[in-house]
């Protein structure tokens, strides 16, 4: 929590110990909730997950899946995926950062800032591309492929 505070991030802690923050991304009307948790058997991983507040219906999934594939072709991190909820879903971007033994508070703050920035970059890029490519949905993923994906996800 103190690393988040030092970075000027307003956060709250959930009952399970996960730190949560909400970001309004400049240039996007989709706020992103970011969760920070120390994970792993010995607390050796900082798991950071950014969830878009935008709900995507089935008609938007082909576009978003295509855009996430385009993101992954040029970026290793964060990984972006659609998390389904019924026939709708949200975009989630994940980063896992290795925490070296003896990491100090300054180093931890830098790792948190890097993870937060990359998640914000991913969500902004996807939002910009969604607006620019909205008319190209049919060219990205066929409805048959989308139906197969929904069946697998259910």
């Amino acid at each position: 929590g103190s690393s988040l505070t030092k970075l000027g991030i307003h956060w709250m802690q959930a009952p399970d110990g996960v730190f949560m923050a909400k970001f309004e991304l400049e240039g996007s009307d989709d706020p992103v909730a970011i969760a920070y948790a120390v994970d792993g058997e010995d607390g050796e991983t900082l798991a950071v997950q950014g969830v878009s507040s935008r709900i995507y219906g089935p008609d938007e999934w082909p576009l978003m899946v295509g855009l996430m594939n385009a993101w992954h072709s040029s970026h290793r991190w964060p990984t972006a995926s659609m998390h389904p909820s019924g026939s709708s879903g949200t975009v989630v971007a994940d980063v896992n950062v290795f925490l070296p033994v003896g990491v100090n508070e300054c180093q931890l703050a830098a790792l948190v800032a890097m993870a937060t920035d990359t998640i914000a970059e991913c969500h902004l890029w996807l939002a910009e591309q969604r607006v620019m490519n909205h008319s190209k949905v049919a060219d990205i993923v066929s409805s048959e492929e989308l139906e197969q994906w929904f069946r697998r996800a259910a």
Side-chain angles (χ1 to χ4, degrees):
S2 65
S3 292
L4 297 174
T5 301
K6 281 185 178 185
L7 292 169
I9 297 173
H10 300 285
W11 55 273
M12 60 177 261
Q13 189 168 12
D16 61 0
V18 173
F19 295 95
M20 302 291 297
K22 182 179 174 185
F23 290 87
E24 303 285 339
L25 303 177
E26 190 173 321
S28 173
D29 58 355
D30 306 328
V32 174
I34 299 184
Y36 304 86
V38 175
D39 207 4
E41 205 170 286
D42 297 319
E44 68 276 2
T45 304
L46 173 65
V48 184
Q49 184 178 73
V51 181
S52 173
S53 62
R54 183 178 173 84
I55 305 295
Y56 294 92
D59 60 320
E60 295 177 291
W61 279 54
L63 174 64
M64 295 312 296
V65 169
L67 292 176
M68 286 183 277
N69 286 337
W71 170 265
H72 293 137
S73 72
S74 60
H75 298 83
R76 182 175 174 131
W77 301 109
T79 56
S81 59
M82 292 294 286
H83 282 221
S85 177
S87 64
S88 299
T90 58
V91 172
V92 176
D94 294 295
V95 175
N96 290 309
V97 180
F98 175 72
L99 297 175
V101 175
V103 65
N104 65 41
E105 204 168 319
C106 186
Q107 293 167 324
L108 182 59
L111 293 170
V112 166
M114 179 274 309
T116 303
D117 288 348
T118 60
I119 285 176
E121 177 188 359
C122 176
H123 279 283
L124 281 172
W125 186 88
L126 289 170
E128 290 167 359
Q129 295 300 311
R130 176 181 51 82
V131 170
M132 290 176 15
N133 293 287
H134 196 71
S135 63
K136 300 178 185 177
V137 172
D139 298 336
I140 296 176
V141 179
S142 72
S143 60
E144 185 177 294
E145 289 174 301
L146 184 62
E147 287 175 23
Q148 289 174 358
W149 192 91
F150 272 117
R151 282 195 291 274
R152 285 193 304 262

